[in-house]
Every structure is written in C-alpha cells, then in structure tokens.
Amino acid sequence: MDVKAQIKILLALQGLDAEIIAINKSLKALPERLNEMHRDVAALEELLAKEQEALDQEDRWKREKEEEHQFLEAQIVKIRKQMQESTAHRETLALQRQLDTSRKQAADMEDEILQTMQAVDARRAQVEARQGDLVELKERFSVEEEEIRGEMDRLQAELGRLKTRREEGSVGLETSVKRRYDQIASRRHPSVVEAVDGHCTGCNMAILPQLYNTLYYANSMEFCPICQRMIYLKSAVFCDEEGSSGAPKADDTETSSGEEGADQKASG
Ligand SMILES: [Zn+2]
C-alpha cells in the first residue's frame, strides 16, 4: 500500500480515535458525577444525624427537668402538709422559707422547660425539613443515577463499535506504520498532522524546506522533527481527489498555500 493510502487510513483512524478519546473522557467524568452525588447525600445524612442527636439531647434534658419539676411540686405539697400539721412557730417559719425556695425553684424550672420546649419544637421542625430535603435529594439522584448508568452503557457500547471499526479500518496498514502511529497516539492527539504554510500544525514550528519538498512527493512517512508527529501535505496526499498533482512541478497544486509552496521549492 502506498504512503498516500496509508496516511488516509491513519487520518480515518485518527478520526475514530478522537471519538474514542471523547467517550473515554465522558466515561471517566460520569462516575465522578455519581461519586459527587453520593458525597452530597452522605454529607446531608451526616448533618441530619448531628441535628437528630442534638434534638434527642434537648428532648432528654427537657424530660429530666420535667421530672425534677414534678419532684419539686411533690416537695411543695409535702411542705404545705407539714406546715398545716406544725404547731411550733419556729418550725412553721422554717417550713415557710423552704416553701418559698421550692416555689422559686419550681417557677424558674417552668421557665427553663418552656424555653427548652420551644427550642425542641424548632429543632424538630428543622430535622423534619432536613429529612424532607434528604428524601427529595435521594429521589432526584436516583433518577439522575439511572440516566448516568444508561449513558455509560450506551457509551461503552459505542466504544466497542468504534474499536471494532478501528480494527477493521487498520487493515492494509503496514505494521511498522501502525505501531508508530499507536506510539504517537498514546501520547498526543492528533498524531497525524498537516503541514500548512511551511509549518507543522501540531506544534506550529517551521519545517525545513528539504522536508517540505519531501512531503510534496508523499513517497515516505515523514515526521515533524520537533513534535515527532506524522506529517503530511494535504495537496500531495489528496491529489487524486482534488484532481491535481501533488508533485511540486505545478505551482498551483498547493491550494491554500501556493506561494509558500513555491518559496519552499525555490529554496529547496
Ligand atoms: Zn510538529
């Protein structure tokens, strides 16, 4: 197979490789999106667990205070009874002081309990809202996850088809050329580039006139000395299709850069 035909095959391979690269990129990004979603859910669950713990603690504290309050109330009843039964003046006075203290304590405790009840109610509303958010988030993610998994399956199938096409498309390519292409393609894309206006379009560096002239004949596989990419001249490789000769004899062969071509020819 001549060099022109091989370059055409390589360009077709490169087109497939561009698609493969894009698919692989998506196949890498999509699971990352899934991980991100799972992290969001985990973070919300953690937050919810903390708030639930705070709620339980406040609730426990409230119940303890309520028990203490009941105990105080019982104390008050007991003191009152003792006062009714008391005959000694000094004892009655002492009991009265005890009663006042207990009443004051009970009143303070009622205030505290009331405040805690309000805090607990607010916290409970917050926890319930958060639970609602979590359910909503999980539902949303479950739909999105299904879409992502479907998309990944589709991309995997497409990748398989592209790889088959790549295999089929490589038929006829010289082994050494294919190996060299794969070698370059594993590092850079595109790996087969056009020479335009005396420059490699891969690295934008100027090409020596001697190499540029070689490209006109398209009789050998050539490489950019700077970026090592395979390099070709469009007018030379596609001369049959464009109905023109790729040889440097005719000045009008290089459609896009005729002048440059002429310069190269003159200097070469
Ligand atoms: Zn280059």
Side-chain angles (χ1 to χ4, degrees):
M1 188 182 281
D2 71 6
V3 168
K4 290 177 193 175
Q6 297 212 56
I7 290 175
K8 283 176 192 170
I9 289 180
L10 289 176
L11 288 172
L13 281 192
Q14 181 157 277
L16 293 172
D17 281 348
E19 288 182 59
I20 289 172
I21 288 169
I23 286 178
N24 278 329
K25 208 170 154 192
S26 297
L27 281 173
K28 220 173 136 185
L30 289 173
E32 192 39 55
R33 172 69 191 130
L34 285 181
N35 288 341
E36 196 182 299
M37 276 161 36
H38 289 145
R39 279 198 296 272
D40 283 355
V41 168
L44 193 56
E45 278 173 339
E46 200 184 325
L47 193 65
L48 184 59
K50 273 185 192 156
E51 284 172 355
Q52 183 68 54
E53 201 187 309
L55 174 63
D56 291 346
Q57 216 165 19
E58 283 168 357
D59 214 19
R60 225 168 16 242
W61 192 84
K62 191 194 81 174
R63 277 201 307 274
E64 278 169 17
K65 285 287 160 192
E66 278 168 348
E67 276 170 26
E68 281 178 45
H69 185 256
Q70 273 174 0
F71 179 76
L72 263 180
E73 286 293 327
Q75 283 286 101
I76 290 168
V77 170
K78 217 157 94 183
I79 296 168
R80 277 212 184 103
K81 208 171 163 221
Q82 282 175 333
M83 278 175 76
Q84 279 169 2
E85 287 163 3
S86 167
T87 47
H89 181 63
R90 275 176 71 173
E91 192 192 19
T92 310
L93 277 179
L95 285 168
Q96 182 63 53
R97 275 199 296 275
Q98 264 188 49
L99 185 67
D100 290 345
T101 309
S102 295
R103 273 180 173 160
K104 172 83 171 57
Q105 278 180 341
D108 288 349
M109 209 168 273
E110 276 160 31
D111 285 346
E112 275 183 78
I113 290 170
L114 191 68
Q115 275 174 15
T116 310
M117 271 165 79
Q118 284 167 348
V120 164
D121 286 348
R123 178 85 71 183
R124 183 166 286 129
Q126 195 184 343
V127 166
E128 279 168 5
R130 195 81 78 192
Q131 279 165 339
D133 287 349
L134 184 63
V135 168
E136 202 182 298
L137 190 70
K138 278 182 170 174
E139 275 171 10
R140 194 150 49 82
F141 281 177
S142 143
V143 171
E144 202 177 329
E145 183 160 0
E146 205 172 314
E147 282 171 5
I148 287 175
R149 299 223 178 264
E151 175 69 358
M152 283 171 71
D153 287 347
R154 195 189 65 73
L155 289 174
Q156 282 291 359
E158 182 60 22
L159 197 60
R161 278 193 293 273
L162 284 168
K163 283 180 176 169
T164 307
R165 276 175 64 194
R166 199 180 183 280
E167 286 293 314
E168 289 166 357
S170 311
V171 173
L173 212 53
E174 273 175 30
T175 316
S176 61
V177 172
K178 172 75 163 52
R179 200 186 305 130
R180 188 77 191 265
Y181 169 82
D182 286 340
Q183 215 174 39
I184 304 169
S186 70
R187 285 180 286 121
R188 34 188 62 165
H189 183 88
S191 31
V192 185
V193 294
E194 219 184 311
V196 173
D197 295 340
H199 286 76
C200 163
T201 54
C203 63
N204 287 322
M205 299 304 282
I207 296 165
L208 289 175
Q210 198 183 346
L211 174 58
Y212 212 76
N213 282 345
T214 311
L215 294 178
Y216 268 109
Y217 294 99
N219 285 331
S220 52
M221 294 300 307
E222 296 299 332
F223 303 89
C224 168
I226 311 296
C227 67
Q228 313 300 326
R229 287 177 169 97
M230 289 176 164
I231 194 163
Y232 71 98
L233 208 57
K234 198 173 178 180
S235 63
V237 172
F238 293 93
C239 57
D240 306 337
E241 284 149 53
E242 284 171 9
S244 59
S245 150
K249 279 165 266 170
D251 276 340
D252 58 354
T253 49
E254 183 60 11
T255 50
S256 60
S257 58
E259 274 177 48
E260 190 78 17
D263 288 349
Q264 296 291 348
K265 188 159 51 84
S267 55

